[in-house]
Amino acid sequence: MTATVTETVTEQPVSTRRTTEGRRATIVGFVLLGLTAVVLWVFALGAASDATATFNLSLPNDRFQGLTWAFNARALSLVVAVVLAALGAQRLRRSQLGWTNTVLGIGLLLFVVSFLGWAAAGSSFSLVGMLRSTVISAVVITLGALTGLMCERAGVVNIGIEGQLLTSAFVATVLSSAFGTVAGVTGAMLAGALLGAVLAWLAIKFQVDQIIAGVVINIFALGLTSFLASRVLSEAQDLNAPARVPSFRLPLLADIPVLGPMFFDHTFFVYGMLLLAFGLHFAFFRTRWGLRARAVGEHPKAADTLGIDVYRVRYRNVILGGLIAGFGGAFLALAQIARFEEDMTGGIGFIGLAALIFGRWMPLGCLAAGLVFGFSGALAQKVAILGTGIPSEFMLMLPYVATVIVVAGVVGHARAPAADGQPYIKG
Amino acid sequence: MALELRGITKRFPGVLANDDVSLAVGSGEVLALLGENGAGKTTLMNILYGLYRPDEGSVVVDDRELDLASSRDAIAAGIGMVHQHFMLVPVFTVAENVILGQEPSGPLGVIKKDAARATVRDISERYRLHVDPDAVIEDLPVGVQQRVEIVKVLNREARYVIFDEPTAVLTPQEVEEFFAIVRGLQADGKGIIFITHKLGEALEVADRVAVMRAGRKVAEVTPGETSEAHLAELMVGRPVELVVPKDTSHPGATVLQVQDLVVRDDRGHRAVNGVTFEVRTGEIVGVAGVQGNGQTELIEAIMGLRPSLAGNVVLDGTDVTDYNPRQLHEARVSHIPEDRQESGLVLGFTVAENMVLNCYYEEPFSRVLVMDWDATNEAAQRLVKQYDVRTPGIEVPVSNLSGGNQQKVIVAREFDRDVRLVIASQPTRGIDVGSIEYIHGQIVAKRDAGAAVLVVSSELDEVTALADRILVLYHGKIAGEFPPDADITEIGLAMLGSGR
Ligand SMILES: Nc1ncnc2c1ncn2[C@@H]1O[C@H](COP(=O)(O)OP(=O)(O)OP(=O)(O)O)[C@@H](O)[C@H]1O
Ligand SMILES: [Mg+2]
């Protein structure tokens, strides 16, 4: 019966006017046209833009040297403007919907290329260097997102990622200074896991509101590490001097032009992030473990009636998530600046949560989102160096502006696990 | 070969849910379990399935006493259960739901998807269940979801299968298919316990019928030696009127006018496609139709819960198309929503709080900005008594009440005032005969007091029993109008779209 109903109803022409898909297409269409205008007036017709911009595509210690891409900035911007206008018009005509996100992504990418061409007109600029720092900036964001993913997929909201990162960064600094890198990283992961266990305990055993539990962890972590940093680290300076983790060139892979320096000439933290993202994607969607974890996050009662221990799955996932956060904290302390500073996370744990939403609760999505956010950070840095007249403070806002736009749902609505944040009460 | 419950007693705070209950079902036997809402049927089955621990008594399978600490133990003992509210993960595929908890997997726990699919296909073929292993649950109609639950149970090699109110959500055709499946399982030697509120169904499929009342088993009979009226009396403890007595209607002025209404469903299809009708004072208009023909969207649009694409809703001459639910409440419209747990109640709130959900902001429940709890509690106490809501108190969360009593809370809240228009969707879904008698009586009383009443039900019997005029909804259009004494088969044909 129901089948017939659906069939006949679908035959009716469904006008796209009022559907959300249609509305999003309109918004994206206008956004693309707006970008076209900026590209035309600013990038293409700007006074200095009729000059050659050179993008360097290799770094000093690459195998293939001297790869460059040189072009006339004005010509490129004109081409980009035409493509953007065509894409925007196509969205507004709504002849063919779908792919809206992809079209928006392509449009933004073209816009950024045109922008860089304009900024680099008359000089040269290391594109690969920027892509490489994109990957580095993405590490903590991605690891934070993966931490959130581990918890939320099993139905526990973790707002405390920030606190986990900060605490483990502190632990990594101290232990690495005293006993070396291995101890630092291990200790940091255990510290992250310990905070995860506390969160799980509060959320599962006492059914404390999970948002509040996470906030408590953040405040606790900030207070504790600030106190210890000012009391202990300022006294014993040698505890705040960890060895910087060196890069490790992956043979052969690192020789690939562009991709090599981008991904394969880094510290083990970067490789860890990549392995985790791919590994977790496989684990969540291919293995027994992942199926059960997802079931617990979607419909815990159903899982319970099939003999799956909901509490155990939740504890395990939140604690494993803590390990990942700890790894991220160690990266902050040992690979970036090799010392601990008060509140050195500066909200990056929350950007990780935004990346989780942007990545639609998928591990590879988290990686992609991490790279997008990382890119906006790297772009801000580069532009500050290039000196375009745009205030660098403004460019530094970019990652946060990107976060707000993403979370506000311009990218369409993603669906969180159904039981996300809800305590499960047995019986 | 039998499954037995011996002397089971289960207490909840303030409630004796099961009181020394003993039951048995053998292989190849169908036992129907009847009882009022709150009689303790679901509790008893949850004990059998290891979800609750009994305070006294034991579960015995094939002469072996079991200690059921969790559903895992029950599954291992060959007991399977299809729950009153399905236990399926909506975003998973059929195959994933079926294997969950018992995944065929290789090294590293990698799931063998092909094996899973093959399992589903095998079982589906063997018992003629017709489910597609790759379909996603949330896209499937309830009837199919239920068959997925059955596949799940069979995949765990259950020898005893419990069905908790399996037919409450099914269309008449699906019920027939379900009975065929039950007979197939029976022929295969499974023992089956089947809970229902529909007495006719119990008489049709069961070998034996057990009746519970207030936690106790009060009777066990065979279909041959009983009748619907007799079973109803056993359940409720007094004779029950299975069809409400009512006088002929004397319709007066038009109250509700619906004109050319067009409404979209969630997927953007026109679920209601140009519907026009009216309801007058002192008459009950019944909307019949197979579930999913636009009933939900029609009522939501009238009640201001869903925007309409075109057309008007007029109440006493005023255009109320764009009214929100509170404005409608203030225009003296009462609404019993289709899904009581989803939109009728706040499950975590107490009975008292739920009793004033529609009027908490008015005098005397709220003074200036502060709730007057004494007035609220007093009103709740009175309503609980007047509408016979079985609850340990007005301070318990409404989620603790049985389904029928939850529904009575809604009826009490919505009916306890002078109303102009009553809209009742599936008012007695999942409700026992005693309560049906009561709720039907209340609806008729509202009509006789001069209200206009619109009743929507996928239960044709309910519509013919209550309505003074019957509209059949098919594919979002009115496919026919009938007097209450019309030929049932003719209405049935209209419901299937093959009428005039
Ligand atoms: N978790 C619980 N906590 C407290 N009381 C409960 C709980 N579950 C059920 N009860 C109470 O136990 C009694 C039996 O409820 P049960 O759900 O078994 O009834 P039922 O016969 O299945 O009713 P229905 O036909 O409405 O489904 C009811 O009074 C109910 O309020
Ligand atoms: Mg029940």
Side-chain angles (χ1 to χ4, degrees):
Chain A
M1 245 345 278
T2 327
T4 16
V5 175
T6 334
E7 268 167 31
T8 358
V9 179
T10 1
E11 282 167 15
Q12 301 172 346
V14 179
S15 107
T16 52
R17 274 287 130 90
R18 290 207 190 182
T19 58
T20 45
E21 184 66 3
R23 201 164 47 232
R24 276 196 31 238
T26 315
I27 295 174
V28 168
F30 280 117
V31 168
L32 290 173
L33 292 184
L35 293 179
T36 311
V38 175
V39 168
L40 265 184
W41 298 126
V42 182
F43 303 159
L45 303 179
S49 69
D50 193 9
T52 305
T54 310
F55 284 2
N56 289 327
L57 299 180
S58 52
L59 290 175
N61 54 351
D62 278 4
R63 161 167 297 215
F64 300 102
Q65 284 297 323
L67 300 176
T68 56
W69 178 33
F71 55 88
N72 180 291
R74 176 167 292 168
L76 180 89
S77 289
L78 286 173
V79 173
V80 167
V82 169
V83 177
L84 281 178
L87 289 177
Q90 192 269 345
R91 284 297 107 176
L92 287 180
R93 272 183 46 224
R94 294 167 167 211
S95 49
Q96 200 186 348
L97 294 176
W99 300 99
T100 296
N101 284 339
T102 317
V103 170
L104 179 65
I106 293 172
L108 287 176
L109 195 70
L110 288 174
F111 177 81
V112 167
V113 169
S114 154
F115 167 73
L116 286 174
W118 170 73
S123 66
S124 75
F125 150 80
S126 171
L127 183 66
V128 169
M130 190 178 93
L131 293 177
R132 193 180 135 78
S133 47
T134 292
V135 173
I136 295 173
S137 311
V139 174
V140 187
I141 300 174
T142 305
L143 291 174
L146 291 175
T147 304
L149 178 109
M150 284 296 272
C151 303
E152 296 204 7
R153 275 288 183 179
V156 179
V157 169
N158 185 354
I159 295 285
I161 299 170
E162 175 83 3
Q164 290 177 306
L165 289 171
L166 190 59
T167 309
S168 47
F170 179 85
V171 171
T173 309
V174 172
L175 289 184
S176 173
S177 305
F179 306 109
T181 304
V182 175
V185 175
T186 318
M189 290 174 71
L190 291 179
L194 186 68
L195 284 182
V198 171
L199 174 74
W201 192 56
L202 290 174
I204 297 167
K205 175 99 187 197
F206 300 107
Q207 286 150 21
V208 174
D209 184 290
Q210 295 172 10
I211 305 290
I212 295 179
V215 169
V216 165
I217 286 181
N218 287 336
I219 295 174
F220 169 78
L222 182 60
L224 183 75
T225 54
S226 301
F227 169 77
L228 290 176
S230 64
R231 284 296 164 84
V232 180
L233 293 190
S234 58
E235 297 293 309
Q237 294 280 356
D238 52 339
L239 281 183
N240 198 0
R244 198 195 183 97
V245 174
S247 288
F248 175 74
R249 264 182 90 87
L250 290 184
L252 294 181
L253 285 175
D255 295 336
I256 305 172
V258 186
L259 287 181
M262 211 178 141
F263 285 109
F264 303 119
D265 184 10
H266 281 289
T267 59
F268 64 82
F269 290 107
V270 170
Y271 308 135
M273 164 191 80
L274 293 172
L275 282 178
L276 262 175
F278 282 92
L280 283 181
H281 205 86
F282 184 83
F284 266 109
F285 297 102
R286 287 291 169 76
T287 70
R288 177 168 63 192
W289 171 86
L291 189 75
R292 291 183 179 188
R294 285 187 292 136
V296 165
E298 293 284 349
H299 195 334
K301 187 145 197 197
D304 193 11
T305 58
L306 295 172
I308 294 169
D309 187 337
V310 174
Y311 297 145
R312 217 178 72 190
V313 170
R314 288 192 168 175
Y315 268 113
R316 185 193 58 199
N317 268 45
V318 176
I319 291 172
L320 287 177
L323 289 176
I324 298 176
F327 189 62
F331 166 82
L332 268 179
L334 305 182
Q336 297 274 76
I337 48 175
R339 58 176 282 119
F340 183 83
E341 284 165 13
E342 237 175 75
D343 193 17
M344 69 189 296
T345 43
I348 202 161
F350 295 106
I351 296 192
L353 277 178
L356 171 64
I357 299 171
F358 190 23
R360 300 183 171 217
W361 287 268
M362 308 280 235
L364 288 179
C366 290
L367 176 62
L371 288 170
V372 168
F373 285 133
F375 181 77
S376 68
L379 187 65
Q381 283 171 18
K382 272 288 156 185
V383 168
I385 295 168
L386 278 174
T388 50
I390 303 171
S392 68
E393 289 82 4
F394 185 81
M395 292 310 289
L396 288 174
M397 274 168 40
L398 215 61
Y400 304 94
V401 173
T403 308
V404 169
I405 292 174
V406 161
V407 175
V410 167
V411 199
H413 264 291
R415 197 157 54 163
D420 203 1
Q422 291 171 15
Y424 179 64
I425 303 158
K426 215 173 146 71
Chain B
M1 296 283 276
L3 169 67
E4 287 173 72
L5 287 156
R6 292 186 185 157
I8 299 283
T9 296
K10 174 75 186 174
R11 295 180 197 91
F12 289 116
V15 188
L16 183 56
N18 291 147
D19 181 6
D20 191 21
V21 182
S22 300
L23 274 185
V25 61
S27 308
E29 192 184 26
V30 180
L31 171 72
L33 186 56
L34 301 181
E36 284 182 283
N37 294 119
K41 306 175 296 289
T42 299
T43 306
L44 190 66
M45 293 304 113
N46 282 342
I47 289 172
L48 189 49
Y49 193 58
L51 292 173
Y52 293 155
R53 284 214 164 221
D55 296 318
E56 282 159 44
S58 55
V59 178
V60 178
V61 172
D62 303 341
D63 297 324
R64 205 161 47 82
E65 187 166 322
L66 300 178
D67 178 36
L68 302 172
S70 76
S71 39
R72 184 172 283 265
D73 298 339
I75 294 168
I79 301 170
M81 177 151 169
V82 176
H83 296 262
Q84 192 166 355
H85 305 283
F86 295 156
M87 294 296 166
L88 297 168
V89 181
V91 296
F92 281 13
T93 65
V94 169
E96 286 173 331
N97 267 290
V98 168
I99 59 169
L100 185 62
Q102 254 184 17
E103 305 82 356
S105 45
L108 284 175
V110 177
I111 293 174
K112 296 181 178 152
K113 291 203 169 165
D114 289 335
R117 278 194 204 102
T119 312
V120 174
R121 249 182 242 118
D122 282 353
I123 297 175
S124 168
E125 230 156 75
R126 188 155 140 227
Y127 293 94
R128 296 166 196 270
L129 294 170
H130 308 290
V131 293
D132 168 11
D134 294 317
V136 175
I137 295 294
E138 60 189 355
D139 298 337
L140 297 175
V142 265
V144 182
Q145 292 190 15
Q146 181 173 64
R147 300 206 292 267
V148 176
E149 285 279 25
I150 298 173
V151 175
K152 235 166 95 176
V153 164
L154 294 172
N155 181 42
R156 287 168 171 74
E157 291 174 359
R159 287 172 299 135
Y160 300 98
V161 187
I162 304 163
F163 290 99
D164 194 353
E165 291 190 36
T167 57
V169 290
L170 300 186
T171 64
Q173 292 88 334
E174 287 172 331
V175 170
E176 282 311 314
E177 290 164 22
F178 172 73
F179 285 163
I181 294 166
V182 167
R183 294 200 183 94
L185 294 175
Q186 187 180 12
D188 202 43
K190 313 273 186 208
I192 291 164
I193 301 181
F194 164 59
I195 298 179
T196 183
H197 284 297
K198 296 178 191 159
L199 308 174
E201 293 178 353
L203 294 176
E204 187 177 341
V205 286
D207 298 311
R208 273 183 306 125
V209 183
V211 182
M212 289 183 70
R213 192 195 318 148
R216 304 187 64 94
K217 188 175 90 174
V218 291
E220 196 170 305
V221 291
T222 56
E225 64 188 26
T226 185
S227 65
E228 288 194 33
H230 178 227
L231 285 175
E233 187 169 344
L234 286 174
M235 277 170 63
V236 184
R238 61 176 168 82
V240 177
E241 305 268 7
L242 292 174
V243 174
V244 261
K246 68 180 176 42
D247 307 327
T248 46
S249 65
H250 302 286
T254 301
V255 175
L256 175 73
Q257 277 172 288
V258 173
Q259 292 158 343
D260 300 318
L261 199 66
V262 179
V263 188
R264 282 187 198 289
D265 64 14
D266 293 334
R267 285 180 294 182
H269 303 317
R270 291 172 176 231
V272 177
N273 202 356
V275 164
T276 301
F277 66 92
E278 56 180 45
V279 188
R280 289 167 291 173
T281 59
E283 78 167 342
I284 302 178
V285 173
V287 176
V290 174
Q291 188 69 26
N293 274 283
Q295 296 96 324
T296 311
E297 290 79 8
L298 173 65
I299 298 303
E300 286 181 351
I302 296 177
M303 284 309 304
L305 296 166
R306 180 181 285 272
S308 49
L309 204 61
N312 294 309
V313 180
V314 178
L315 184 72
D316 281 327
T318 316
D319 189 323
V320 298
T321 316
D322 295 324
Y323 271 32
N324 63 33
R326 177 172 287 183
Q327 288 171 307
L328 287 166
H329 164 76
E330 286 169 354
R332 295 196 291 144
V333 178
S334 279
H335 178 211
I336 299 179
E338 170 179 299
D339 186 336
R340 54 180 163 264
Q341 304 206 334
E342 189 69 32
S343 39
L345 298 166
V346 180
L347 286 177
F349 278 15
T350 64
V351 172
E353 288 166 332
N354 273 290
M355 285 287 192
V356 297
L357 270 189
N358 56 347
C359 54
Y360 65 91
Y361 62 94
E362 293 168 340
E363 297 265 339
F365 308 117
S366 168
R367 293 185 195 285
V368 195
L369 288 170
V370 182
M371 285 290 290
D372 184 336
W373 288 111
D374 288 337
T376 307
N377 290 343
E378 204 174 292
Q381 290 288 10
R382 178 176 61 76
L383 290 173
V384 162
K385 193 173 279 164
Q386 188 179 333
Y387 288 81
D388 189 32
V389 182
R390 309 272 169 86
T391 169
I394 57 166
E395 291 298 336
V396 300
V398 79
S399 57
N400 279 5
L401 268 58
S402 71
N405 285 302
Q406 291 178 352
Q407 188 76 346
K408 282 188 185 174
V409 171
I410 299 177
V411 171
R413 178 181 76 209
E414 297 293 330
F415 280 18
D416 187 54
R417 60 194 178 112
D418 177 26
V419 296
R420 188 77 184 135
L421 171 66
V422 172
I423 294 184
S425 278
Q426 315 289 356
T428 61
R429 179 180 277 172
I431 288 194
D432 69 56
V433 281
S435 309
I436 291 178
E437 178 193 33
Y438 183 79
I439 289 171
H440 282 181
Q442 289 293 324
I443 291 175
V444 171
K446 280 292 171 204
R447 177 200 79 168
D448 292 343
V453 182
L454 181 65
V455 172
V456 178
S457 176
S458 50
E459 213 65 67
L460 189 51
D461 292 343
E462 175 160 47
V463 176
T464 53
L466 279 177
D468 302 312
R469 209 144 56 81
I470 299 172
L471 304 174
V472 173
L473 206 55
Y474 176 73
H475 280 194
K477 292 200 161 113
I478 291 182
E481 178 174 334
F482 300 86
D485 51 2
D487 186 3
I488 287 277
T489 46
E490 212 175 306
I491 303 179
L493 282 176
M495 285 168 62
L496 296 177
S498 30
R500 294 161 289 176

